[in-house]
Amino acid sequence: MHGKTAYGGLDSFRIAAAFLVVAIHTSPLSSLSPEGDFFLTRILARVAVPFFFLVTGHFLLGEFQNDGAGGVPFSRIKKYLRKVAGLYALSILLYIPVGLYAGHYRHLGPLDILRLLVFDGTFYHLWYFPACMLGVVLVWLLCQRLSLGAVSGIAAVLYVLGLFGDSYYGLTASLPMVSGLYDGLFHIFTYTRNGLFFAPLFLVMGLYCSRDFSTQKSHKRKATASLMKKPQNSHRGNLTFLITGLLLSLALLTAEGFLLKYFGLQRHDSMYFFLVPCMYFLYRLLLSLKLKPKVWLRRVSTGIYILHPAIIVGIRGAARAFGLTRLLVDNSLIHFVTVCLVSLAASVFLAIATDYIRKKPCPTGRAWLELDRKAL
């Protein structure tokens, strides 16, 4: 029952999150409504990457059940890092030709290459992989020495420091001493939305959500038949609370984003104060949905994330070749839908082809859950 009711919402939202990342890179509403596009791509779509960090914190770090050191053995962390590093390496190889053609790698010195590999990513969307690896290692190391409360405090402080190098940089720039400090940091990395400032807080939030969810499931198992109606009413009340919290925090996040835009404070727009409560309510709501797990969506969403910039380049090139630029590129909404559909088709095809090459039938039901535990 745990597997059937716990993760279906997360699996379904993975595809939505992947398409939101595509939206960030294609600006679907830019030719229709600049303000609407800002809301979609610079506010609403900013839930996508934190969602993936929360999932990683939930399933990888969720064994830190005690308020102190212990929990996940480093062998499991190492296995995860190897898996992500492999995806990162393949993605780098995929996008090197595109980067060379676009001139992204001209005049790069050794330190510049190191910055790209460790913080910025070698292509504009690949920063997620080093951020995830750095954030996981940082949180794991902190959890070996400190209580979860202390780790949470450090992650929160890092996030706030990152905020003032991101959406609130306009305030920082007005303070010469602080501005100089951030300018020095920007010689090490281009943005503060990285594995040092951005990832740790959402990884820790995922860890806590894992603990809370495990506790709720344990309490439900102990409920007697005569009290079955009460938990159902409690579940409806919990859903109402989560939906209300999500809508309220999303409204505040929207107001925050437009205010920062109006006053011209943003250096970048990945980090907001109200993104944190918004992600908490969203993730808890997804965990509360009683949907069957769809594990194949996990691989497909990863494929969409990795492949969509190459699809964007391919569609633009094909549109120029066949005289369809006005339809497939200049019309931002059609461009977005086309990129999403082709990325989805390519990802599904890749998943099927990979299974065929491995001659490994797709597991279902409990086998998927067992596979996930081993993979993490």
Side-chain angles (χ1 to χ4, degrees):
M1 193 69 173
H2 177 82
K4 290 182 180 180
T5 60
Y7 309 131
L10 299 182
D11 291 340
S12 298
F13 193 77
R14 285 173 186 264
I15 297 296
F19 286 150
L20 286 174
V21 173
V22 177
I24 293 172
H25 298 145
T26 56
S27 296
L29 303 179
S30 59
S31 61
L32 303 174
S33 168
E35 296 300 313
D37 191 71
F38 178 81
F39 168 73
L40 174 61
T41 62
R42 307 304 160 189
I43 297 175
L44 185 62
R46 289 309 181 189
V47 306
V49 171
F51 166 76
F52 289 119
F53 285 140
L54 275 158
V55 170
T56 300
H58 182 151
F59 292 102
L60 180 65
L61 302 174
E63 288 184 4
F64 287 102
Q65 295 297 325
N66 299 315
D67 200 30
V72 182
F74 184 69
S75 60
R76 189 179 178 194
I77 298 295
K78 186 165 64 173
K79 186 175 183 180
Y80 170 80
L81 294 176
R82 209 163 38 229
K83 176 183 174 183
V84 176
L87 282 173
Y88 188 30
L90 288 173
S91 301
I92 289 173
L93 292 175
L94 174 64
Y95 284 99
I96 280 179
V98 181
L100 289 173
Y101 177 78
H104 292 169
Y105 309 137
R106 292 174 185 169
H107 313 299
L108 288 181
L111 291 179
D112 297 314
I113 295 173
L114 184 63
R115 170 177 54 81
L116 291 177
L117 289 172
V118 177
F119 292 107
D120 293 354
T122 57
F123 208 68
Y124 59 79
H125 69 309
L126 297 183
W127 68 271
Y128 170 79
F129 294 111
C132 212
M133 289 188 284
L134 178 59
V136 163
V137 170
L138 178 60
V139 171
W140 185 83
L141 288 174
L142 290 174
C143 284
Q144 298 304 301
R145 299 293 181 182
L146 303 171
S147 69
L148 288 180
V151 174
S152 302
I154 292 172
V157 170
L158 288 172
Y159 186 81
V160 171
L161 291 174
L163 272 172
F164 287 97
D166 193 270
S167 289
Y168 287 82
Y169 181 70
L171 298 178
T172 305
S174 63
L175 303 172
M177 292 184 62
V178 181
S179 174
L181 175 62
Y182 277 92
D183 289 342
L185 291 176
F186 291 135
H187 283 91
I188 303 173
F189 40 74
T190 306
Y191 303 106
T192 54
R193 58 100 172 93
N194 55 41
L196 180 61
F197 296 103
F198 188 30
L201 180 60
F202 296 109
L203 290 168
V204 173
M205 286 173 61
L207 192 162
Y208 273 109
C209 285
S210 173
R211 298 176 70 198
D212 293 344
F213 186 77
S214 298
T215 301
Q216 289 177 6
K217 298 300 291 183
S218 177
H219 289 165
K220 286 183 179 181
R221 290 191 196 101
K222 296 177 181 179
T224 61
S226 61
L227 295 176
M228 284 300 292
K229 291 184 179 180
K230 186 174 180 179
Q232 291 173 359
N233 293 333
S234 176
H235 177 71
R236 285 195 292 269
N238 186 51
L239 282 178
T240 301
F241 169 73
L242 294 174
I243 292 171
T244 303
L246 176 60
L247 292 176
L248 178 60
S249 58
L250 182 58
L252 293 171
L253 173 62
T254 301
E256 181 183 17
F258 276 104
L259 281 173
L260 291 170
K261 179 177 182 291
Y262 177 78
F263 288 107
L265 298 179
Q266 294 174 301
R267 182 179 184 271
H268 195 51
D269 43 43
S270 291
M271 304 174 71
Y272 299 97
F273 277 112
F274 285 106
L275 181 60
V276 178
C278 187
M279 293 311 306
Y280 171 79
F281 287 113
L282 173 62
Y283 196 81
R284 291 298 298 269
L285 178 62
L286 292 171
L287 280 176
S288 299
L289 299 179
K290 296 184 178 181
L291 301 174
K292 291 182 179 180
K294 303 177 183 64
V295 183
W296 65 274
L297 291 178
R298 305 172 193 181
R299 294 169 59 195
V300 172
S301 64
T302 301
I304 293 171
Y305 184 89
I306 293 175
L307 295 175
H308 77 271
I311 302 298
I312 292 173
V313 173
I315 289 174
R316 289 176 177 172
R320 284 196 298 270
F322 293 99
L324 297 174
T325 299
R326 291 187 63 183
L327 175 65
L328 295 181
V329 178
D330 294 343
N331 188 312
S332 59
L333 186 57
I334 292 179
H335 179 59
F336 166 69
V337 172
T338 305
V339 172
C340 286
L341 291 177
V342 177
S343 299
L344 177 62
S347 300
V348 171
F349 173 80
L350 186 62
I352 294 173
T354 302
D355 284 335
Y356 179 78
I357 293 171
R358 292 176 178 175
K359 295 182 179 180
K360 185 184 297 182
C362 292
T364 57
R366 292 184 179 179
W368 269 124
L369 299 175
E370 202 56 41
L371 183 66
D372 284 344
R373 295 189 187 101
K374 292 178 181 178
L376 290 173

